[in-house]
Amino acid sequence: EAGVVQSPRYKIIEKKQPVAFWCNPISGHNTLYWYRQNLGQGPELLIRYENEEAVDDSQLPKDRFSAERLKGVDSTLKIQPAELGDSAVYLCASSRDTLRDEQYFGPGTRLTVT
Amino acid sequence: AQRVTQPEKLLSVFKGAPVELKCNYSYSGSPELFWYVQYSRQRLQLLLRHISRESIKGFTADLNKGETSFHLKKPFAQEEDSAMYYCALDNNAGNMLTFGGGTRLMVKP
């Protein structure tokens, strides 16, 4: 099993440009999470989906960040426009259900905004 | 608001020495605590959770509610234990993990 798949693995963009990250969770996992990990820090949750519904997006900067999970499988996280402070690793994770099931993490996308 | 604190950014020990990675949390309810590990060039993965009371790869962690701590311990460190370790808390609101800042463990030969 491939596990959680993320692409791209690395992305370098100039500030004010848009960027999108894609995540394919483990088959059968209903819950999907997007985290942001700044350098030297632990991951911070941005948004959590149960199937196609965003059930917690309180930490998502809604002025420039958006996410979607069409058909309750793949998900896309978008930033438009990107700022220098958005440079980080963006992690996707999935779990079978919400109630304390183990979260499985993808390899992450390292974003550098110049 | 919940918070997880890992006071040590780096912990360096020699092979065979005991290891203790510290984790303190603040949360008013009854949390579930986890340790996640990230080996070099690998994904973040679950190491252990307090409700399991398991020993994984020789590591154990005991939840101390009085001291609000969940320290990770291993009696004899191995070189392959070198990795980033993250303590995390679930606040019972639906698998919402709050991570600490992480501790890098280096086990020297």
Side-chain angles (χ1 to χ4, degrees):
Chain A
E1 187 171 12
V4 176
V5 179
Q6 290 188 248
S7 68
R9 294 293 311 278
Y10 305 91
K11 189 74 176 179
I12 300 174
I13 61 171
E14 294 183 347
K15 63 181 180 182
K16 300 185 181 180
Q17 295 300 306
V19 65
F21 315 122
W22 175 78
C23 173
N24 180 243
I26 293 173
S27 177
H29 281 197
N30 298 321
T31 307
L32 184 146
Y33 314 78
W34 282 103
Y35 290 86
R36 176 170 60 189
Q37 185 172 19
N38 293 314
L39 187 63
Q41 299 181 23
E44 296 177 291
L45 182 69
L46 292 174
I47 188 169
R48 174 170 64 97
Y49 282 93
E50 289 183 23
N51 298 302
E52 65 274 11
E53 182 182 359
V55 295
D56 191 318
D57 62 355
S58 58
Q59 301 303 312
L60 192 71
K62 297 181 182 61
D63 56 336
R64 297 181 300 105
F65 286 65
S66 64
E68 61 182 8
R69 190 183 184 197
L70 299 177
K71 301 181 181 179
V73 181
D74 295 0
S75 178
T76 303
L77 178 68
K78 298 179 181 178
I79 309 175
Q80 182 170 9
E83 297 179 352
L84 294 176
D86 296 330
S87 295
V89 175
Y90 290 83
L91 294 167
C92 179
S94 70
S95 64
R96 190 170 302 277
D97 287 300
T98 299
L99 294 178
R100 296 183 168 176
D101 278 345
E102 179 178 348
Q103 293 186 28
Y104 293 83
F105 284 81
T109 296
R110 182 177 296 278
L111 173 67
T112 302
V113 182
T114 62
Chain B
Q2 62 248 31
R3 174 177 287 188
V4 177
T5 302
Q6 295 179 247
E8 302 145 327
K9 284 289 187 184
L10 173 65
L11 183 62
S12 183
V13 301
F14 284 102
K15 176 182 174 181
V19 170
E20 182 179 53
L21 290 83
K22 291 183 168 56
C23 172
N24 291 92
Y25 67 91
S26 61
Y27 179 61
S28 57
S30 295
E32 182 172 355
L33 276 295
F34 304 80
W35 277 98
Y36 277 79
V37 61
Q38 187 167 26
Y39 301 101
S40 179
R41 301 184 188 281
Q42 294 188 27
R43 308 168 180 221
L44 192 62
Q45 58 186 285
L46 178 65
L47 179 63
L48 56 79
R49 57 175 69 184
H50 90 267
I51 61 171
S52 301
R53 297 185 173 275
E54 294 176 302
S55 173
I56 306 295
K57 298 184 178 182
F59 285 98
T60 59
D62 291 319
L63 179 61
N64 186 322
K65 292 185 177 181
E67 297 183 357
T68 59
S69 68
F70 187 56
H71 303 327
L72 184 67
K73 302 177 183 180
K74 185 170 183 176
F76 307 102
Q78 303 299 313
E79 290 182 67
E80 56 264 31
D81 296 329
S82 296
M84 281 294 299
Y85 290 81
Y86 295 94
C87 183
L89 176 154
D90 175 5
N91 66 356
N92 297 325
N95 218 359
M96 302 280 291
L97 292 179
T98 298
F99 284 86
T103 298
R104 179 173 296 282
L105 174 63
M106 293 179 58
V107 182
K108 297 176 287 187

